[in-house]
Structures are given as C-alpha cells and as structure tokens.
Amino acid sequence: MKPIKVGLLGLGTVGTGVVRIVEGHQEDLQSQTGSAIEIAKVLVSNKNKARDISIDPSKLTEDPWEIIHNPEIDVIVEVMGGIEQTKPYIIEALSRGKHVVTANKDLMALHGTEILAVAQEHGCDVLYEASVAGGIPIIRTLIEGFSSDRITKIMGIVNGTTNYILTKMSQEGASYSDVLKEAQALGYAESDPTSDVEGLDAARKMTILATLGFRAKVALDDVSVQGISSVSREDIQYAKRLGYELKLLGIAERQDDEFSISVQPTMVKQTHPIASVNGVFNAVYVHGEAVGETMFYGPGAGGMPTATSIVADLVAVVKNLKLGVNGKQGIMTYKEKKLKTDEQISSKYFLLLHVADRAGVLARITQVFADFEVSLESVLQQPNPVNPEAEIIVITHDANKAAIQKVLQTFEELDVIRKVKSVYRVEG
C-alpha cells in the first residue's frame, strides 16, 4: 500500500506524543499494517512557537481547512479538543471520505450519534479509544472483547483529578481545598476545575461507556451527576473507620432492558479491587452475564498514554483500509433506551446525621426508616469532641432511591435532626 497520510489537528501534549510514537515506531507500525504512516500536516495555533519536538516547518499550518480539504490526507487525528469549533471539522472530513481518530470525549458524548451516522453514510471509520480512559483500551474491549456477552454493570474511576484529590484526603488527612490547590499547581486540575470536581467530565465518559455497553442511545442528560466538592475529611475518616474508601464512581447498571447511569461519590468496601486505585490512575470494572467480573486499570490521562491509544486506533483504521471494511464496524445502538425510575434504582446508603443529644432521638430516626420500608444494616453513634451535638451513622441495606429521598425529606421536618451532614451510595 502507498503511505497513509495523516492530518493532525493539535500539537499540544497529546499531539506531540502522537508524532513521537508514529515517527519513533515506524518499523513496528509498518509490520502491523503493511504500510508506512506519515504525519503529513499538523494544525497549530502559532507556527512560530518554540516546541520541544523537532518537526518540519513545512508540515505546520494554522488553517484547518488546508488539512481537511487536502485530497492526499487519508486520516484526521483530532486532539485539539472543544466542541463548537471542532465538530464542523470532523463532519466535513467525514463527508470528504477521511477517517477520523479523536480523543474528544465532550464531542463524542454530546454528538457521537450524529458523527457516527455521517461516518457510516460515507463509509468512514470514527475511532475514539482515548476519549474515555487515556491509555486503558476499554472501548475496544467493550466492542470486541464483550461482543459475545451481555454487560450488566460498568463501574469506573474515570477522572484522575478527582481520584488524586480523594486519595490525598484519605492518605494524608488533607482538606479538599488544600488538595485541590496542590492538584492545580501540579497540573492535574485546571484553573477552573468545575468539569472535573463536579463530575461533568466523568459523566461524559460514562455516557460513552453506557452507549457502547448497553447498545442504546444514551444522552448526557440521562446521567445523574454529583461531584466531590462537598466531601469533607470527616466523611473520609468515617468511611475508613467503617472499612470503606470514598471514590468518585461512574456507575451504569442494567437489569433486563432497563438501566441507570450515575456519577457520584461512593463508599467502596476496602476489599473491592477498585478501592485500591489511587492517585491519577483510572480503573473500569465490567460485569458480564457470562464472564462475570473483570477490571481494567491504568493511566487515565497524560500525553504518552493517551497518544498510545490514539495510535492504536490509527493502526486499526489502516488495517481496515487493507481489508476494505472501513465504516462497517461501528456499534449499532439497536436497543430501545429504557431508564430506570427512582423506585427501581437500588443500593446501600451511608448517612451521617447531626442530631439533638437527648433520649428517644434514635427511636424516632429508625421509625422514619421503617415508615418507608428501608431496613438498616448498622447504626452507630460516635462522640465527636468538635461537635457538641450527637452524631449518628446509618448504613442501610439495599433501598430504592425514591424511598431514601422520602426519608431525607422527612428528616428535614424532624426537629431532633439538626443536619443531614452526608449521604453516600455504598458499593461492595
């Protein structure tokens, strides 16, 4: 085959990694694909900017259309990010018969269905392994590795920033605000960390994973989202004392043909493998009816790990070119989307209550749970020298979300409860 020419949109940390791998691994790539792969053109914002990679200046351009409209370019690799500006580039490239590899989780979560439809119409590949978990090959695993199984649950730590923050809070007893500042100084968190800490980044990734795992058109609005900005040292200390770690988990569950998707801080039993995933690492736990439990672990971000996934997708595109099967391996979302109601979503819950310190309080609280048919696994009252009021910890048995919401609404009206300090889902 003639050399495959690639147009690269973006030359930041990830784009630089792509260039390094493609140019440094040419012999390996040719042995796998039977063809040379050449970075022909690279979109940059400033051609004169100093860079830590040597690249032929004639390959740089500040005009994206010079790449997209170039008939010699076979594949577009998009690592520039963004949605409004990037989407037209991708659509136009596909309409011109160019294949696309992207790491853009925001674009695929919000417009993936449309983009994949355009790709299929024009016989093109759109591959996006790097959009979810950096260097972890979870998308290819869901599409190919689980093709013969029926996935019932996907649970993951899919945001390294929040996992770093919660890990430091757990291991060092640091406060949320202090660790966030440290994460920003180290480059793990943006100056505006909202997307990470409020769970929005993880929600976009879970949208993609649930779509692939359940073969249904999942929208971002279908994901219930809660971030970690309200998590305190006290919450983490209580969790550890009870044998749990607090993690921001994306959870997609299916029962029969109905499913639920959420992102929320969750207390995970310390014996569960995902509880030991620390720092900026990611992990995705997948349960299939046939295979049972599996877990995939690795770096969820970073220039070279993400670039590795991108180049793996690039190799897949070239192999498809040789076989003549481009545009024929997309995932069909043939299942009707049926979201569970709150009455159907069930899990254990942890509640930390600040209550009046007097006789009869515990009886009134347990009666509220009984009124809404929520059974209790354990109830613990602990002294807290910095809190003059009593603290009661409750862990429920499996209870539906609607019942827990009714319990919490009743607690707001109960004079003996000063504050519902924390409520977390419990896993494991």
Side-chain angles (χ1 to χ4, degrees):
M1 290 180 68
K2 66 180 180 64
I4 301 301
K5 294 193 175 182
V6 176
L8 180 62
L9 304 184
L11 193 60
T13 303
V14 176
T16 299
V18 171
V19 174
R20 286 201 169 108
I21 292 175
V22 170
E23 293 186 347
H25 299 182
Q26 241 344 277
E27 184 179 358
D28 293 333
L29 296 176
Q30 287 191 48
S31 70
Q32 292 183 65
T33 64
S35 178
I37 298 176
E38 175 191 346
I39 305 292
K41 277 288 183 181
V42 182
L43 176 68
V44 295
S45 58
N46 180 359
K47 291 195 293 185
N48 300 317
K49 177 183 175 181
R51 294 180 170 83
D52 61 358
I53 187 172
S54 177
I55 190 166
D56 184 347
S58 68
K59 292 186 175 184
L60 302 180
T61 179
E62 297 174 9
D63 179 8
W65 303 112
E66 185 179 343
I67 296 176
I68 293 165
H69 291 163
N70 186 333
E72 294 186 353
I73 288 177
D74 305 289
V75 185
I76 299 294
V77 172
E78 184 273 306
V79 289
M80 59 185 288
I83 299 175
E84 299 306 322
Q85 182 183 27
T86 308
K87 181 185 173 186
Y89 300 161
I90 300 301
I91 296 294
E92 178 68 11
L94 293 170
S95 69
R96 289 176 174 267
K98 301 184 190 303
H99 309 289
V100 171
V101 174
T102 179
N104 196 326
K105 62 182 175 295
D106 299 336
L107 182 67
M108 294 309 296
L110 293 172
H111 302 290
T113 300
E114 178 187 352
I115 288 169
L116 292 171
V118 174
Q120 188 174 40
E121 179 184 352
H122 294 279
C124 295
D125 286 339
V126 174
L127 301 183
Y128 48 100
E129 182 66 71
S131 66
V132 171
I136 305 173
I138 187 62
I139 288 180
R140 188 168 286 107
T141 300
L142 289 175
I143 294 172
E144 299 176 4
F146 286 93
S147 60
S148 63
D149 205 347
R150 179 181 172 88
I151 294 170
T152 56
K153 186 173 185 177
I154 303 170
M155 181 171 74
I157 296 171
V158 291
N159 182 272
T161 300
T162 51
N163 202 45
Y164 175 83
I165 292 171
L166 292 175
T167 297
K168 295 284 281 189
M169 291 176 69
S170 175
Q171 294 181 349
E172 300 179 8
S175 70
Y176 168 81
S177 59
D178 287 344
V179 180
L180 176 58
K181 290 175 184 175
E182 180 182 330
Q184 289 171 320
L186 292 170
Y188 295 149
E190 302 289 341
S191 55
D192 179 0
T194 303
S195 179
D196 290 323
V197 301
E198 297 304 338
L200 304 177
D201 174 82
R204 292 174 181 129
K205 293 172 180 177
M206 291 306 299
T207 300
I208 295 170
L209 291 178
T211 296
L212 296 173
F214 300 154
R215 306 295 196 264
K217 292 181 181 178
V218 177
L220 185 59
D221 289 344
D222 297 329
V223 185
S224 172
V225 185
Q226 179 188 347
I228 67 165
S229 57
S230 62
V231 174
S232 67
R233 280 182 291 195
E234 182 182 33
D235 295 332
I236 290 178
Q237 288 165 359
Y238 275 131
K240 289 173 72 70
R241 196 179 304 170
L242 295 168
Y244 294 90
E245 291 291 340
L246 201 54
K247 300 289 185 181
L248 182 71
L249 293 187
I251 302 172
E253 295 177 297
R254 173 168 64 179
Q255 185 175 8
D256 299 325
D257 285 328
E258 297 174 323
F259 55 86
S260 62
I261 313 154
S262 66
V263 170
Q264 58 191 305
T266 304
M267 289 176 55
V268 184
K269 201 74 173 174
Q270 288 172 344
T271 53
H272 194 289
I274 213 165
S276 61
V277 176
N278 293 320
V280 295
F281 281 83
N282 282 193
V284 180
Y285 163 101
V286 183
H287 188 280
E289 286 183 348
V291 74
E293 298 180 356
T294 60
M295 195 174 85
F296 306 86
Y297 167 85
M304 294 307 287
T306 304
T308 299
S309 289
I310 290 170
V311 178
D313 277 349
L314 184 55
V315 167
V317 170
V318 178
K319 286 182 176 179
N320 288 346
L321 275 167
K322 289 190 70 175
L323 295 170
V325 295
N326 296 105
K328 298 179 181 179
Q329 295 182 326
I331 286 295
M332 299 297 293
T333 51
Y334 57 89
K335 289 283 190 181
E336 180 184 355
K337 181 171 68 178
K338 297 179 181 178
L339 297 177
K340 289 183 179 181
T341 65
D342 286 349
E343 286 78 13
Q344 295 172 304
I345 299 172
S346 179
S347 70
K348 293 182 178 181
Y349 286 89
F350 163 96
L351 295 88
L352 173 59
L353 310 175
H354 290 181
V355 304
D357 190 6
R358 62 174 186 258
V361 170
L362 184 57
R364 293 183 66 183
I365 290 171
T366 55
Q367 183 59 50
V368 172
F369 283 107
D371 289 343
F372 296 104
E373 300 182 345
V374 177
S375 64
L376 306 183
E377 180 179 287
S378 63
V379 180
L380 180 65
Q381 184 168 346
Q382 303 232 62
N384 187 335
V386 300
N387 183 8
E389 298 172 331
E391 291 188 344
I392 292 178
I393 296 170
V394 176
I395 296 181
T396 74
H397 286 295
D398 277 346
N400 70 67
K401 186 177 178 180
I404 293 296
Q405 289 172 339
K406 290 175 183 176
V407 167
L408 295 175
Q409 290 169 1
T410 303
F411 282 170
E412 289 179 2
E413 302 166 2
L414 207 60
D415 61 349
V416 297
I417 294 183
R418 304 294 189 238
K419 184 179 183 180
V420 178
K421 173 64 177 61
S422 306
V423 181
Y424 296 115
R425 177 174 173 144
V426 176
E427 280 286 337

